């Protein structure tokens, strides 16, 4: 178990995030500790609702969790697919804006291999996804990972943002 505190990107409030192990096949589940009954919000496609410039999940009793992208990307990159994420607010903190603090959080909590086969998704052909308005889209293509780590390339369509360069955020050991 490990925790981190920081300011939320959109709301500017301080929030604590505590991660705890979850049993096999539980998935990643957010727990809103700040709300009565501590409602659970599963991190899966069935719980995604519209959000402005962020991913929003809605769970028990209408409870929402926002700006989950960095933590979920880190969990996926590190092979963590069963996790309880307790929050003291509705939005995860932005921290330094990268994945580094969330990788460190998961490393401090410890990663344990469970004795149950993992369910995985493999991309074996290019996939394009778009929705209305048509300026929002993403593409996924099969490609070998960079040697010794994971990389990311983001290309924005507006000139002010420019183009981010790929950079390894964590070196993964073979399991």
């Amino acid at each position: 178990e490990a925790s981190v505190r920081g300011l939320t990107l959109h709301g500017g409030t301080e929030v604590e995030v505590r991660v705890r192990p979850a049993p096999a096949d539980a998935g990643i589940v957010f727990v809103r500790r700040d709300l009565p009954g501590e409602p659970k919000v599963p991190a899966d496609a069935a719980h995604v609702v519209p959000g402005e410039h962020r991913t929003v999940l809605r769970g028990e009793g209408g409870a929402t969790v926002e700006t989950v992208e960095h933590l979920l990307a880190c969990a996926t990159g590190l092979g963590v697919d069963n996790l309880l994420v307790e929050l003291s607010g509705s939005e995860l903190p932005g921290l330094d804006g990268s994945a580094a603090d969330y990788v460190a959080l998961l490393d401090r909590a410890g990663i344990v291999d469970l004795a149950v086969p993992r369910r995985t998704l493999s991309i074996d052909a290019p996939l394009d996804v778009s929705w209305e308005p048509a300026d929002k889209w993403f593409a996924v293509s099969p490609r070998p990972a960079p040697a010794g780590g994971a990389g990311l390339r983001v290309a924005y369509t507006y000139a002010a943002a420019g183009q981010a360069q790929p950079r390894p955020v964590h070196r993964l050991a073979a399991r």
Side-chain angles (χ1 to χ4, degrees), residues 84-108:
L84 286 176
V85 182
E86 299 174 349
L87 299 172
S88 65
S90 65
E91 183 180 359
L92 275 76
L95 303 174
D96 75 350
S98 78
D101 290 328
Y102 284 117
V103 169
L105 174 69
L106 294 171
D107 278 344
R108 283 195 316 273

Side-chain angles (χ1 to χ4, degrees), residues 52-124:
E52 189 66 30
H53 303 294
R54 59 185 160 242
T55 301
V56 179
L57 303 170
R58 180 173 294 135
E60 294 176 352
T64 59
V65 177
E66 303 178 18
T67 319
V68 298
E69 299 88 343
H70 286 183
L71 177 62
L72 292 179
C74 291
T76 300
L78 294 172
V80 175
D81 46 15
N82 298 293
L83 185 66
L84 286 176
V85 182
E86 299 174 349
L87 299 172
S88 65
S90 65
E91 183 180 359
L92 275 76
L95 303 174
D96 75 350
S98 78
D101 290 328
Y102 284 117
V103 169
L105 174 69
L106 294 171
D107 278 344
R108 283 195 316 273
I111 299 172
V112 176
D113 286 324
L114 300 176
V116 175
R118 298 179 77 189
R119 288 186 263 155
T120 61
L121 172 67
S122 296
I123 305 296
D124 57 6

Side-chain angles (χ1 to χ4, degrees), residues 77 143-154 164-172:
R143 184 175 180 177
L152 171 67
R153 180 172 182 263
V154 178
Q165 295 300 313
R167 100 179 151 98
V169 295
H170 193 273
R171 299 225 180 263
L172 301 176

